[in-house]
Amino acid sequence: MAHVQKAAKPVKKTVAYGLATVALYAGVFSFADAIAARFAQGALWAAGPIVTVLVVSWLHGSFANNLWACLGITARQKRAEVRPTQQPVARPRVRATLNA
């Protein structure tokens, strides 16, 4: 009888990503005016909002993924269908003939 091993729950990762997400949100909302003024300067600072959104999205997504894993909710695994291989239809060989 085969034993099924359960994956360890990523509690530490969930807490770490959760704290990082809360810290990032708190920092952005606490210093919103200063951050907005800096990003409004133009040049390379114009990429600041895009980078900030990507970092927030990555942190929050990692936290949510680990939270769902801790709760035991996972995506359904799609089974790979095994199809029998079909042999191509054998065609007659083309032969050169001489009509004399």
Side-chain angles (χ1 to χ4, degrees):
M1 182 183 255
H3 293 285
V4 178
Q5 293 182 355
K6 292 184 179 181
K9 295 185 179 187
V11 176
K12 291 180 182 178
K13 283 185 180 182
T14 304
V15 171
Y17 281 121
L19 289 175
T21 302
V22 168
L24 186 62
Y25 274 119
V28 168
F29 285 122
S30 295
F31 302 105
D33 294 332
I35 292 171
R38 181 65 71 169
F39 289 166
Q41 288 179 351
L44 290 177
W45 288 107
I50 297 168
V51 172
T52 304
V53 168
L54 289 174
V55 170
V56 168
S57 176
W58 180 73
L59 277 175
H60 184 73
S62 297
F63 165 71
N65 180 40
N66 288 314
L67 179 65
W68 290 121
C70 283
L71 295 175
I73 300 172
T74 57
R76 185 184 311 184
Q77 299 297 323
K78 194 173 187 179
R79 289 186 185 176
E81 293 182 26
V82 179
R83 295 186 197 177
T85 57
Q86 295 178 353
Q87 296 294 330
V89 177
R91 297 186 300 183
R93 276 182 80 180
V94 178
R95 298 180 140 203
T97 57
L98 182 61
N99 294 331

